Amino acid sequence: MTDIIIPNLGNEISEAEITEWLVETGDDVEQGDVVLLISTTKTSLEIEAPTSGKISQINSNEGDLVQVGEVVCTIE
Amino acid sequence: MKTMPKNIDIDPNKIFAKDFLKSTELPIHQYQKSIDDELKIHGKENLKEVLRHMYIVREFENMLNSFKTTGSYKNIDYTYNGPAHLSIGQEAAAVGAAFALKPEDKIFGSHRSHGEMIAKGLSAIKNLSRDKIKSIMQDYNGGKLISYVHKNLNDKEFDDAEMFLLSGVLAEIFMRELGFNKGMGGSMHAFFTPFGTFPNNAIVGGSSGIAVGAALHAHLNQEESICVANLGDGSTGCGLVWESMNFSSMGQYKNLWPEPYNKNPPMLFCFMNNFYAMGGQTLGETMSWDRLSRIATGVNSEQMHAETINGSDPLSVADAIIRKRKLLIEGNGPILLDIECYRYSGHSTTDTNAYRSRDEIKHWKFFDPIQQYSEKMIEAGIINKNDLNNMSEKVQNQIEYLTSKVVDRELTPSIDIEKNPTIIGDFTFNKKVISVSKITSDLLKNEGEVNQIKSLQKKSRFGKSEEGSLLSGMRAITLRDSLAEAIIYHLSRDKSLIAYGEECRDWGGAFGVYRGFSDIIPINRLFNSPISEAAIVSTAIGYAISGGRAIIELMYSDFIGRAGDEIFNQLAKWQAMSAGELNLPIVLRASIGSKYGAQHSQDWTSLLTHIPGLSIVYPATPYDAKGLMASSLCSNDPTVFFESQRLYDKVEIFTENGVPKNYYKVPFGKAVKRRSGKDITILTIGASLYAALDASMELINHNIDAEIIDARSLVPFDYEMLLNSVKLTGRLLIVSEAVERGSFANTIATNVSKFAFKNLRASPMIIGSPNWIAPGADMEKTYSPQSEDILDLVFRDFFPEKRINKRGLRKDWDFLDLAKKGL
């Protein structure tokens, strides 16, 4: 089981917004696939799957503010 | 899978395919028309006019040469102290080109452009209707110059419009008030826009980017005219010229811009190639090209449709311009012409020709344009010798008559500086302000349909929660957001405004201010520029003096150096050098960096406050950023807008209702009090506000009540508020992140000593960054003034009796020793 967490994006950035989920629970993903887009105060970022597997859980909705380090999705 | 937006896919298979780069032959002196051909095209009278115009240009410069070298001309004694960079011998290039241009075409020249300017003026007079000329002359300078001509140069033998042109130019060269720019430009800068002559430039190559900006304006406004940069061969060694050639042929015009803008701007680079750059020989010595037109092969696949033209034959020059003009109007610019010609006169009149042989000069006299053309005209029966002599004599009389009046200081005085000692200063700023339409137009989408802009609506306008805790930049409007609100407001409503810089579109600007803008504003008004800082600034100037407005972005203020001349000599000076004839409504965004070390973290505000002619603002809060940006975008003066990268995520904590959603302005020249106090005034410049605020909290614990004033605007600066504060506190500390030596903080401190000496209990002090490089991220706090450094200074210099344990890094510095070491 692998967690997708909001990465540390520099000292000043503590939160990010989930802009768009590109996967749903149950989808198969390959390592390196972009699974979600987030935006910070400065920029937009693509978050990739760190491993191949099935999306088992999505913890936040589009538009939610999430903290750096927060688990937003799990791959099994 | 969704990918990030992209405009042009780079296909590695195509990139790595085997191939050969192709270039084609470029014509060199291929002009073949006979005089009969030319007669059919232009008619006899026009061909005779070409000769007369060459005579006028020649005699005008003979006159200047005579004054410079002998102090007199035809029994008129006059000491002319200014410069005279003459083009005697190059008349065919100037007149031939002007002959083929339309009155609405714009030429931009060099320091050696009297001839080009006069020729273009004569050509405009020949082609415009008399009614149009009359109204131009009446409208200019309240009709003063044409009244002067009618009163003093009223010999009916000479055309009043020609006398208007020549007296406007000569009075400008002689620095008189009736000159086209009231004598503020002088010999190297004379121009008169109604005849299509735009600023001549004393900086070699300086006109190239300005002309490209004007061509961009003509292009975006669908005008049927072209812009010409008349440059010397020496300018092929200048970076700006290369930047400008590229800027005018960027791939995006044809690849990405929508109809009807998917064409290249109508830009003609005319190199008046006289083979010398000062005393250096471009051909064979200082440059690498074998023919000047060679450089065009390095610019684009069309090789700029370059040709080498015989500049000693006006008809060969005119023929080329006619053909190239057509291509340009069709959108096939930019074009390069290498117009080979020769100046007999030296670089300037103090030049003794030490760098070239007498034989060479003698040899070129066989190719004298006037001599050759006269012979051709006589041979073809277009003019006889007698008429030719009469024409020459009449021109000599015309120039003599003109000169006799213009040298007369009583008849033609300079501006009266004794009577009005600060009058030159009055030309610096026009202080004009536009009002913006409330209605948006020509948008790709409305603001409300774009996520990045829509998301701002969800944010709190104030930076603190109801409980008083600080909100993150994801929950409250940041300084970045507030800039975005002001800029998109203007871009959506002011169609004359364009925005560009190094990344302005899909990335959202290097620091995210323009996020979402590319979904709203079409690419022809919001585009990525090449990494050409000089051309970014220079083209904005050309765009603005043609009637547009521009907001340009240099990413880091550290890159100002790459646009040094364009900011220091062009952007800052053209309003005053034109005596207010030109307006430069340009906002230059310059971001003060952080974390990236010495070449990316300098506060260069002081460098620019040192340059007269620029409005300079540096907001520290979201409220001020939005309001000052609105004022900057409404101003008709050139404005440098400093932003701190450390502040982009700051939320509004000072203004209780936060950043207003609606449009508003914060005026230039007004500081703001961030904290009231009675013991010491601390003036902060830009980001240093926050360190000073922290320090003031600690000072309170020692019964020192600091008043904090945030400068906001540096030029003009709000002396009134500062002096009133110092009157009460008697003490002043100025905090800035600029290095201390030569800092603007020193200027303010000196002025306060001067203006409020009797109110001061101690000498005003400043604290800035030390006089060495900005170190990298982890060491940055050792560089810009921290609250501890401010505290140490306040106790040491103002309240030694309340001495506390020093805590800042600078506590043991020997400032005198450092100063002696140049640090």
Side-chain angles (χ1 to χ4, degrees):
Chain A
M1 209 170 73
T2 309
D3 290 335
I4 294 185
I5 61 169
I6 300 298
N8 184 353
L9 301 162
N11 287 339
E12 288 104 42
I13 294 171
S14 58
E15 290 183 304
E17 183 181 326
I18 307 283
T19 319
E20 191 178 355
W21 279 107
L22 303 175
V23 293
E24 291 176 2
T25 309
D27 283 359
D28 289 320
V29 290
E30 299 274 317
Q31 181 181 347
D33 283 353
V34 178
V35 293
L36 78 152
L37 304 179
I38 63 169
S39 63
T40 69
T41 50
K42 177 178 166 182
T43 190
S44 303
L45 277 159
E46 297 174 328
I47 306 288
E48 295 176 356
T51 176
S52 301
K54 196 183 279 293
I55 302 289
S56 60
Q57 196 180 332
I58 288 177
N59 303 330
S60 46
N61 297 317
E62 287 177 5
D64 284 358
L65 286 183
V66 287
Q67 306 296 309
V68 166
E70 195 173 320
V71 176
V72 288
C73 170
T74 308
I75 300 174
E76 265 175 17
Chain B
M1 282 290 131
K2 185 175 165 164
T3 54
M4 294 298 274
K6 231 179 170 194
N7 293 318
I8 300 164
D9 277 323
I10 309 290
D11 178 351
N13 290 318
K14 280 189 194 160
I15 291 292
F16 290 131
K18 277 192 172 51
D19 202 352
F20 288 96
L21 198 63
K22 292 164 195 79
S23 56
T24 52
E25 289 177 337
L26 295 176
I28 297 175
H29 302 310
Q30 291 295 325
Y31 170 71
Q32 287 182 7
K33 288 200 175 79
S34 69
I35 202 78
D36 280 345
D37 296 335
E38 297 288 12
L39 253 177
K40 273 179 216 143
I41 298 168
H42 302 295
K44 196 169 159 182
E45 286 314 306
N46 278 328
L47 294 189
K48 275 168 38 181
E49 275 297 87
V50 167
L51 183 58
R52 194 176 68 86
H53 290 183
M54 288 202 290
Y55 272 130
I56 291 175
V57 170
R58 170 74 56 94
E59 189 56 23
F60 189 93
E61 292 215 312
N62 278 342
M63 172 263 295
L64 290 174
N65 194 41
S66 185
F67 279 131
K68 284 301 285 185
T69 52
T70 68
S72 73
Y73 165 72
K74 296 191 175 177
N75 299 322
I76 304 167
D77 290 335
Y78 176 60
T79 305
Y80 167 54
N81 291 315
H85 298 89
L86 306 176
S87 55
I88 296 170
Q90 299 184 194
E91 295 82 0
V95 172
F99 182 64
L101 292 170
K102 307 276 185 218
E104 59 274 22
D105 295 333
K106 297 172 181 167
I107 65 165
F108 297 75
S110 69
H111 57 291
R112 195 181 307 289
S113 285
H114 299 148
E116 292 146 16
M117 193 223 160
I118 292 170
K120 178 69 166 68
L122 292 170
S123 161
I125 291 169
K126 184 170 77 69
N127 292 318
L128 288 168
S129 73
R130 292 313 290 185
D131 283 349
K132 177 74 188 161
I133 293 170
K134 219 170 155 184
S135 79
I136 286 173
M137 296 193 298
Q138 278 306 334
D139 289 349
Y140 171 66
N141 196 8
K144 278 186 201 156
L145 181 58
I146 191 58
S147 299
Y148 167 92
V149 168
H150 286 156
K151 196 172 157 214
N152 302 300
L153 290 162
N154 52 4
D155 188 330
K156 291 283 173 281
E157 201 184 342
F158 308 116
D159 176 49
D160 65 345
E162 286 190 4
M163 289 316 241
F164 171 90
L165 167 73
L166 295 170
S167 57
V169 183
L170 188 58
E172 185 58 35
I173 292 172
F174 288 167
M175 298 159 274
R176 309 302 175 81
E177 189 170 10
L178 276 176
F180 281 136
N181 303 109
K182 297 193 166 57
M184 291 296 105
S187 161
M188 294 191 281
H189 307 112
F191 66 95
F192 184 62
T193 58
F195 290 161
T197 63
F198 278 68
N200 290 332
N201 213 304
I203 304 297
V204 172
S207 280
S208 56
I210 299 177
V212 171
L216 185 60
H217 188 268
H219 178 50
L220 285 177
N221 287 279
Q222 299 285 292
E223 289 168 12
E224 205 165 290
S225 65
I226 70 166
C227 293
V228 184
N230 289 320
L231 303 160
D233 45 310
S235 76
T236 56
C238 300
L240 174 67
V241 172
W242 288 86
E243 290 187 12
S244 304
M245 290 192 296
N246 177 69
F247 202 106
S248 61
S249 54
M250 289 189 287
Q252 64 180 296
Y253 300 123
K254 284 183 174 161
N255 290 328
L256 301 174
W257 286 27
E259 290 246 17
Y261 307 112
N262 54 344
K263 294 171 178 170
N264 286 1
M267 179 61 209
L268 176 60
F269 291 86
C270 272
F271 289 93
M272 301 300 187
N273 178 4
N274 63 22
F275 304 98
Y276 286 94
M278 285 285 295
Q281 290 192 273
T282 45
L283 178 60
E285 185 188 5
T286 62
M287 295 305 297
S288 57
W289 40 257
D290 49 349
R291 301 302 285 227
L292 191 149
S293 47
R294 170 81 65 192
I295 65 175
T297 59
V299 174
N300 61 9
S301 60
E302 292 86 358
Q303 302 174 112
M304 297 180 75
H305 304 281
E307 283 186 39
T308 293
I309 304 297
N310 180 350
S312 74
D313 176 2
L315 296 180
S316 117
V317 177
D319 169 74
I321 301 266
I322 291 166
R323 287 183 289 110
K324 301 303 184 187
R325 191 180 186 282
K326 188 166 175 287
L327 277 176
L328 289 169
I329 296 290
E330 288 163 359
N332 297 307
I335 288 173
L336 181 149
L337 287 180
D338 166 20
I339 302 180
E340 293 181 329
C341 50
Y342 196 77
R343 60 165 161 83
Y344 313 128
S345 44
H347 164 77
S348 61
T349 48
T350 52
D351 171 355
T352 56
N353 284 318
Y355 51 85
R356 54 182 176 178
S357 68
R358 300 274 157 214
D359 281 350
E360 181 185 289
I361 299 174
K362 220 191 280 173
H363 199 174
W364 275 90
K365 288 210 171 166
F366 290 112
F367 292 83
D368 178 79
I370 295 179
Q371 190 65 33
Q372 284 189 110
Y373 189 72
S374 305
E375 283 164 9
K376 212 188 268 186
M377 293 292 103
I378 290 171
E379 205 177 300
I382 294 168
I383 194 168
N384 63 41
K385 265 197 171 158
N386 199 30
D387 288 346
L388 187 100
N389 289 338
N390 287 342
M391 179 190 276
S392 162
E393 197 179 321
K394 188 175 167 188
V395 166
Q396 299 217 13
N397 291 340
Q398 185 180 14
I399 299 297
E400 184 180 2
Y401 182 48
L402 164 87
T403 307
S404 69
K405 305 294 180 180
V406 178
V407 293
D408 186 332
R409 288 190 181 279
E410 296 216 343
L411 207 58
T412 323
S414 293
I415 55 169
D416 195 343
I417 296 177
E418 296 212 350
K419 193 172 146 203
N420 186 352
T422 60
I423 187 170
I424 296 176
D426 295 342
F427 297 131
T428 309
F429 298 111
N430 57 51
K431 298 196 181 78
K432 282 186 246 167
V433 172
I434 60 150
S435 55
V436 189
S437 162
K438 289 198 166 57
I439 300 154
T440 61
S441 57
D442 292 347
L443 305 180
L444 302 173
K445 280 182 188 174
N446 289 319
E447 288 174 26
E449 298 170 84
V450 175
N451 281 339
Q452 289 95 330
I453 307 289
K454 214 163 63 184
S455 70
L456 302 183
Q457 301 300 322
K458 292 189 290 188
K459 288 186 171 186
S460 161
R461 307 303 297 186
F462 188 56
K464 286 181 178 173
S465 67
E466 280 174 18
E467 298 77 40
S469 60
L470 203 61
L471 296 176
S472 87
M474 291 302 293
R475 294 167 195 272
I477 292 288
T478 63
L479 189 143
R480 173 186 292 110
D481 300 332
S482 72
L483 285 174
E485 287 184 345
I487 297 170
I488 197 64
Y489 183 92
H490 275 261
L491 279 173
S492 304
R493 289 160 180 81
D494 178 0
K495 275 167 73 175
S496 68
L497 178 67
I498 59 172
Y500 57 101
E502 294 163 0
E503 178 21 68
C504 281
R505 283 194 67 79
D506 301 321
W507 191 319
F511 310 106
V513 173
Y514 294 168
R515 277 192 302 165
F517 284 19
S518 54
D519 291 336
I520 301 170
I521 307 298
I523 189 167
N524 50 293
R525 288 188 49 227
L526 174 80
F527 57 90
N528 292 331
S529 72
I531 307 295
S532 301
E533 286 84 359
I536 290 171
V537 178
S538 187
T539 51
I541 295 167
Y543 195 79
I545 64 175
S546 306
R549 313 176 70 81
I551 175 166
I552 48 175
E553 203 240 5
L554 290 188
M555 273 180 79
Y556 284 77
S557 74
D558 307 71
F559 308 160
I560 281 169
R562 291 285 292 266
D565 180 65
E566 288 63 40
I567 298 172
F568 304 156
N569 271 321
Q570 315 288 346
L571 184 66
K573 289 183 183 165
W574 272 114
Q575 291 195 159
M577 288 207 305
S578 68
E581 288 292 315
L582 301 177
N583 284 359
L584 272 70
I586 295 164
V587 180
L588 171 62
R589 291 181 57 218
S591 155
I592 295 170
S594 174
K595 295 191 268 188
Y596 284 16
Q599 295 177 334
H600 275 64
S601 306
Q602 300 162 95
D603 174 334
W604 269 8
T605 49
S606 294
L607 201 64
L608 293 193
T609 53
H610 185 67
I611 311 296
L614 302 168
S615 296
I616 298 174
V617 295
Y618 186 6
T621 66
Y623 179 92
D624 286 349
K626 182 171 175 177
L628 280 169
M629 180 53 81
S631 289
S632 304
L633 288 168
C634 287
S635 168
N636 267 11
D637 287 312
T639 304
V640 181
F641 197 99
F642 279 98
E643 300 162 20
S644 167
Q645 288 173 29
R646 277 202 286 272
L647 302 187
Y648 279 131
D649 281 326
K650 284 279 180 202
V651 294
E652 180 58 44
I653 55 170
F654 298 99
T655 308
E656 263 182 46
N657 295 324
V659 181
K661 267 189 187 169
N662 293 338
Y663 180 80
Y664 64 93
K665 288 194 240 174
V666 169
F668 286 178
K670 291 286 174 204
V672 61
K673 202 175 286 183
R674 298 296 182 195
R675 187 180 190 287
S676 292
K678 58 180 179 14
D679 298 321
I680 181 170
T681 304
I682 301 180
L683 172 74
T684 65
I685 294 174
S688 54
L689 167 67
Y690 295 92
L693 273 177
D694 289 347
S696 73
M697 297 301 147
E698 176 66 14
L699 287 172
I700 279 292
N701 296 334
H702 300 269
N703 289 323
I704 299 170
D705 193 7
E707 176 142 303
I708 295 189
I709 295 176
D710 173 0
R712 301 200 286 194
S713 172
L714 302 182
V715 182
F717 174 73
D718 188 353
Y719 278 100
E720 202 174 342
M721 177 179 278
L722 183 64
L723 291 170
N724 284 337
S725 171
V726 168
K727 224 177 257 178
L728 294 176
T729 62
R731 300 178 183 91
L732 173 64
L733 168 64
I734 305 171
V735 192
S736 155
E737 292 186 344
V739 294
E740 287 186 4
R741 188 169 59 224
S743 153
F744 187 59
N746 279 314
T747 302
I748 299 175
T750 308
N751 278 340
V752 170
S753 298
K754 211 159 42 179
F755 304 144
F757 187 71
K758 61 179 192 305
N759 303 118
L760 288 168
R761 297 175 205 217
S763 170
M765 301 301 291
I766 75 151
I767 182 167
S769 295
N771 302 312
W772 51 74
I773 60 165
D778 294 349
M779 295 170 277
E780 208 164 56
K781 285 189 170 167
T782 68
Y783 187 68
S784 53
Q786 305 295 304
S787 63
E788 295 80 13
D789 303 318
I790 295 171
L791 289 171
D792 285 348
L793 191 149
V794 169
F795 286 111
R796 186 192 70 213
D797 292 336
F798 295 103
F799 301 99
E801 73 282 4
K802 296 190 178 183
R803 202 171 184 87
I804 54 159
N805 285 334
K806 288 187 287 187
R807 48 192 92 180
L809 187 80
R810 305 169 187 216
K811 60 181 184 286
D812 297 321
W813 286 6
D814 181 339
F815 288 95
L816 177 61
D817 185 53
L818 285 171
K820 283 180 184 169
K821 287 177 180 156
L823 297 172

